[in-house]
Amino acid sequence: MNLNDVTEHAGEWLRGQGPHSDIVLSSRVRLARNLAGFPFVDHADRRQRQEVLDRCRAAITAGQFGQDLLWVDLPSSPDLDRHLLVERHLISRQHAAGGPESPRAVAIGENETFAIMVNEEDHLRLQVLRSGMQLDEAYTQIDHLDDLLEAKLDLAYSSKWGYLTACPTNVGTGIRVSVMLHLPALRLTGEIEKVSRAARDMRLEIRGFFGEGSEALGDLFQISNKVTLGRTEQEILSDFQNVVVPQITAYEQQARQVLARQRPAQLDDKIWRAWGILTNARVLGAEEVLSLLSQLRLGVNLGRIQTVDIRTINELFLLTQTAHLQKMTGCLMDQGQRREARAQLIRRRLGAS
Amino acid sequence: MKRKCDKCNRPATIRMVEVIGGKKTEKHLCDLHAAELGGVAKDLHTPIDQLLTNFVKLHSGARAQQDLVCGHCGMSFSQFREDKLLGCPHCYSAFEPMLAPLMEQAHGGATHHVGKVPRRCGPDEDRQQLILRMRKRLDDAVRDEDYELAARLRDEIVRFEEKS
Ligand SMILES: [Zn+2]
Ligand SMILES: [Zn+2]
């Protein structure tokens, strides 16, 4: 497996399957771990970072992490590859941005179901991504990966504080559980604000999946836990499974029904306009595309449009991003060229050519 | 074996009986699909929603005290306040008096870990202390350019870490 293979399609986590995948695009669990006896990454010198990297690499490549493991050394990777990995959510922006002098890497598991960042903010950041609502499955897998690492590495841990992390807000379980939700109807009805407030009251973080600000492009929201200490992994997971996700998905379903009942013409108009533009436009900007894809996705979920599947739309959210377009075309493009390439890709994938 | 949800593969947690036009149908649903149907009034109890705290300015009143310094990595508490990141695992015990109230705020009043325990060095904190000391000696040797000693210490650490 190499980076060129991964470009043409999205990872498993966007395949549009799994329970409740009409609203829950994906489930993610992340664990933060550090090696005992070393300073945390930010405070470590180059030699120490290199040693951490070597040990982690040895532990990860020693087998048992699956056949098709891809190890990407980041300082020696071209900018475009690093951007690609960020767009695919396999590394963070911060991890991509570190200088050429800072030893760091990412190990990517088969079909991108897991990724292990080495020397990000913590020595090890493991993540498992799954399609749909599969937090249990994601946790089972990451717990196993963690066991495999722990069999080879001494992890920094104290009985009082749990797993010790560079930032005290991650200490304890070191777990970050998140779900990516598509909430177009709550946004159209303006009720998304209530959801955000409720989430914050529960000490959850809610933010847009794309972009830096609070605005959620494509109506895609990511909700994650903030508390990592004093609660077990199971308690944190069960909040999502029994409270957060069922309530928000039910709320979104309700809003969809209300829209379909009260403003059917306007709703259909939005959906069909999105279809019209996406299948005909010759020049498309990245942000515009996210919002049109969101409306199209809603149309497919409501059964208005039946010639496209959800997977195609999920993939387009990713493939129309800047680095993906350039990687697929095989050359660097300016903004104007990217807008043309984006429109062309969308027409092709939607069968309009 | 537990019964699966009628609509997906998750375990069914709810049995619902629907009567439509005098015809009864039984449904087995998972928590999510049940909530979707609006069939259950979900218990709104959540363990973490009670704990909204007003963010008191960090460590107000602690300024007059002496700065704490971690003996292992040399990080001072005032530096941590600027960087927002700790220097090494040992910082947690070095800064504990200052850190504890901060952690309680950040984690909704929690004061200690209750989750997963690593099998090998979880309960055995002496082991961590030992590794810390060995690493410190190694770092000193490298700094003093005593490469022979450094090589020997490195082997020693590898041997020690292999014993789990
Ligand atoms: Zn179900
Ligand atoms: Zn320290």
Side-chain angles (χ1 to χ4, degrees):
Chain A
M1 181 161 87
N2 68 50
L3 276 185
N4 294 320
D5 296 336
V6 305
T7 318
E8 289 277 331
H9 287 283
E12 282 291 291
W13 58 284
L14 277 176
R15 73 180 197 276
Q17 286 164 15
H20 308 277
S21 51
D22 52 340
I23 293 175
V24 188
L25 268 82
S26 60
S27 310
R28 189 184 80 147
V29 180
R30 192 213 69 195
L31 294 177
R33 299 289 187 253
N34 287 278
L35 307 197
F38 289 92
F40 294 132
V41 180
D42 208 46
H43 207 64
D45 60 29
R46 194 179 171 184
R47 181 187 62 81
Q48 290 164 323
R49 290 184 196 191
Q50 186 62 51
E51 202 177 336
V52 168
L53 186 76
D54 293 343
R55 286 173 164 263
C56 293
R57 180 175 189 163
I60 293 167
T61 52
Q64 294 183 295
F65 282 83
Q67 289 293 310
D68 216 0
L69 193 74
L70 178 65
W71 177 269
V72 185
D73 179 65
L74 292 171
S76 62
S77 297
D79 275 1
L80 186 57
D81 285 5
R82 281 183 280 140
H83 285 156
L84 188 81
L85 293 170
V86 173
E87 285 179 2
R88 295 182 87 79
H89 290 265
L90 295 167
I91 64 173
S92 62
R93 256 168 234 285
Q94 184 190 344
H95 206 40
E101 290 297 295
S102 179
R104 65 201 193 285
V106 61
I108 302 167
E110 198 173 1
N111 293 326
E112 297 170 57
T113 50
F114 72 85
I116 305 173
M117 287 190 281
V118 184
N119 281 344
E120 203 237 26
E121 181 180 293
D122 294 297
H123 296 148
L124 290 159
R125 285 272 175 103
L126 294 71
Q127 77 159 13
V128 168
L129 271 166
R130 291 287 188 116
S131 174
M133 179 60 190
Q134 296 199 66
L135 282 176
D136 255 342
E137 294 81 353
Y139 181 70
T140 305
Q141 188 183 357
I142 207 165
D143 189 39
H144 176 65
L145 296 174
D146 184 40
D147 288 344
L148 291 176
L149 285 173
E150 196 226 309
K152 307 254 179 221
L153 301 165
D154 274 294
L155 300 179
Y157 175 89
S158 95
S159 53
K160 180 172 170 63
W161 300 120
Y163 290 95
L164 303 175
T165 51
C167 181
T169 55
N170 296 319
V171 83
T173 52
I175 199 173
R176 190 76 71 221
V177 170
S178 46
V179 284
M180 198 218 298
L181 306 176
H182 184 223
L183 306 174
L186 287 175
R187 166 108 115 182
L188 283 170
T189 57
E191 284 169 290
I192 194 70
E193 269 312 305
K194 277 192 234 164
V195 173
S196 298
R197 270 201 306 277
R200 291 199 185 97
D201 285 351
M202 287 182 67
R203 290 186 159 260
L204 299 170
E205 184 180 67
I206 176 164
R207 57 189 185 85
F209 187 72
F210 288 110
E212 298 291 278
S214 55
E215 196 194 358
L217 300 170
D219 305 322
L220 293 172
F221 294 84
Q222 180 167 293
I223 300 184
S224 14
N225 67 302
K226 284 201 285 202
V227 172
T228 53
L229 183 73
R231 314 193 69 228
T232 64
E233 290 81 357
Q234 292 309 329
E235 284 170 332
I236 293 169
L237 287 166
S238 113
D239 269 347
F240 277 79
Q241 288 162 325
N242 300 323
V243 184
V244 180
V245 175
Q247 277 181 10
I248 298 178
T249 46
Y251 208 28
E252 166 71 16
Q253 295 284 10
Q254 233 172 50
R256 289 181 184 188
Q257 279 157 24
V258 167
L259 280 177
R261 210 168 41 234
Q262 295 178 350
R263 292 186 268 160
Q266 285 87 340
L267 181 65
D268 281 355
D269 188 60
K270 260 193 192 311
I271 293 165
W272 287 106
R273 269 172 198 270
W275 172 257
I277 296 172
L278 289 169
T279 51
N280 287 287
R282 263 45 187 176
V283 178
L284 281 169
E287 294 197 3
E288 183 186 9
V289 159
L290 291 176
S291 107
L292 292 169
L293 285 174
S294 169
Q295 285 152 19
L296 184 60
R297 196 176 190 279
L298 179 63
V300 172
N301 278 333
L302 290 175
R304 301 292 196 278
I305 290 177
Q306 294 176 337
T307 47
V308 192
D309 60 8
I310 285 293
R311 178 179 188 156
T312 303
I313 299 171
N314 285 359
E315 287 198 338
L316 282 174
F317 275 119
L318 188 68
L319 302 181
T320 54
Q321 303 276 302
T322 304
H324 273 80
L325 281 178
Q326 301 185 84
K327 193 81 183 173
M328 277 185 293
T329 323
C331 61
L332 292 175
M333 295 182 281
D334 65 26
Q335 199 185 21
Q337 294 168 318
R338 290 201 301 266
R339 291 159 72 96
E340 279 181 48
R342 186 176 292 119
Q344 196 184 22
L345 170 78
I346 292 172
R347 291 200 309 277
R348 218 175 40 231
R349 296 270 169 145
L350 294 181
S353 81
Chain B
M1 214 198 107
K2 266 193 101 167
R3 182 162 184 143
K4 294 232 165 110
C5 170
D6 294 342
K7 298 192 167 186
C8 71
N9 271 331
R10 294 159 47 83
T13 54
I14 281 143
R15 191 180 70 102
M16 278 170 63
V17 180
E18 262 186 4
V19 187
I20 299 168
K23 236 183 86 189
K24 257 194 199 178
T25 40
E26 203 183 20
K27 288 182 174 173
H28 294 265
L29 297 171
C30 71
D31 44 4
L32 293 168
H33 276 112
E36 212 168 62
L37 280 186
V40 240
K42 266 270 164 198
D43 180 8
L44 278 173
H45 158 84
T46 77
I48 52 178
D49 65 349
Q50 313 295 334
L51 298 161
L52 262 180
T53 34
N54 295 323
F55 257 77
V56 184
K57 202 95 193 103
L58 302 186
H59 326 292
S60 48
R63 279 182 181 278
Q65 289 175 28
Q66 252 190 341
D67 206 4
L68 296 170
V69 175
C70 171
H72 277 275
C73 71
M75 168 81 88
S76 69
F77 192 75
S78 50
Q79 195 190 337
F80 158 66
R81 271 166 50 179
E82 258 166 51
D83 298 356
K84 317 280 185 233
L85 294 175
L86 293 163
C88 78
H90 188 74
C91 288
Y92 278 93
S93 41
F95 301 155
E96 183 156 344
M98 311 282 264
L99 216 45
L102 172 67
M103 308 264 268
E104 262 187 70
Q105 268 181 12
H107 295 284
T111 54
H112 62 276
H113 177 58
V114 294
K116 183 173 180 176
V117 176
R119 261 189 303 263
R120 85 151 142 185
C121 54
D124 183 4
E125 289 187 50
D126 292 347
R127 183 183 162 95
Q128 298 228 344
Q129 288 303 320
L130 215 62
I131 294 174
L132 271 175
R133 275 200 297 276
M134 290 162 88
R135 288 240 153 246
K136 183 111 174 72
R137 277 166 60 207
L138 171 60
D139 287 347
D140 291 346
V142 171
R143 201 187 46 237
D144 300 341
E145 299 185 10
D146 186 346
Y147 296 116
E148 210 176 301
L149 176 65
R152 214 166 54 234
L153 286 168
R154 196 167 279 135
D155 289 346
E156 218 174 277
I157 293 172
V158 169
R159 268 201 309 280
F160 178 80
E161 288 183 339
E162 274 167 0
K163 293 187 293 196
S164 51

